[in-house]
Amino acid sequence: MKTQIKKSIILLLAVLFANCSKDDDTHIDEGVTLFETTEEWNCNLSETCEDIYQFKFKKGSRISISIENVTGKSVVSLDLSANFGEFGGPNLLTQGKLTYYGCTTQDESVAIVNIYISETGTYNLAIARDWGLSAGFGGTYRLTIISDTAFTEGETPVNDIEATNYERECI
């Protein structure tokens, strides 16, 4: 009887280990709830330039965005819009207007909390350096995004492109 139980246990363990090969391991990226990066602007003369990031957020998520450690006498403006095949859709930070959210002065941090994501999809976050209010050509910043649900980073960021049709508003 003991021999039969030992054989059964050995057989069961062999079957379990055979089904756990490394080749069968698959990892699905479920995302993160925190994203942080330190970046810089290098704008051309008389140009408001921006860095654009893409993120995939889930419907019902609540996110917070902060821009800190701003340098270079830079004034920050933000645009967060759903990706409709191009940049610059209705900005979630200015109640659906096409204007950038901008309420800061030179080298001032900005934090926007509890932003509601109404639809699952890819969103573009543009971090602009306002030429008319900033001094010089460049500066640095630290971007932090926190979400109550997992999200993923999209395409590689676009850096230092001219912000077309730029207009800022403090709401």
Side-chain angles (χ1 to χ4, degrees), residues 57-62 116-121 123 148-149:
F57 295 115
K58 295 175 187 164
K59 179 179 181 176
S61 298
R62 298 265 181 195
Y116 180 72
I117 303 298
S118 61
E119 296 295 326
T120 297
Y123 289 78
D148 63 351
T149 61

Side-chain angles (χ1 to χ4, degrees), residues 30-32 53-59 61 63 83 117 119-124 147 149-155:
E30 295 181 14
V32 297
Y53 302 84
Q54 286 190 335
F55 299 98
K56 294 177 185 175
F57 295 115
K58 295 175 187 164
K59 179 179 181 176
S61 298
I63 67 169
N83 183 7
I117 303 298
E119 296 295 326
T120 297
T122 301
Y123 289 78
N124 298 315
S147 177
T149 61
F151 65 94
T152 57
E153 187 178 359
E155 300 284 321

Side-chain angles (χ1 to χ4, degrees), residues 103-143:
C103 295
T104 63
T105 58
Q106 289 182 349
D107 293 346
E108 187 178 340
S109 298
V110 61
I112 306 170
V113 298
N114 206 25
I115 304 162
Y116 180 72
I117 303 298
S118 61
E119 296 295 326
T120 297
T122 301
Y123 289 78
N124 298 315
L125 174 63
I127 303 172
R129 183 178 188 273
D130 188 302
W131 175 263
L133 299 174
S134 300
F137 295 90
T140 61
Y141 62 90
R142 178 160 186 76
L143 164 64

Side-chain angles (χ1 to χ4, degrees), residues 6-21 24:
K6 285 182 184 178
K7 286 181 183 179
S8 296
I9 291 174
I10 291 172
L11 180 61
L12 177 63
L13 290 174
V15 169
L16 288 174
F17 284 121
N19 287 331
C20 292
S21 76
D24 293 338

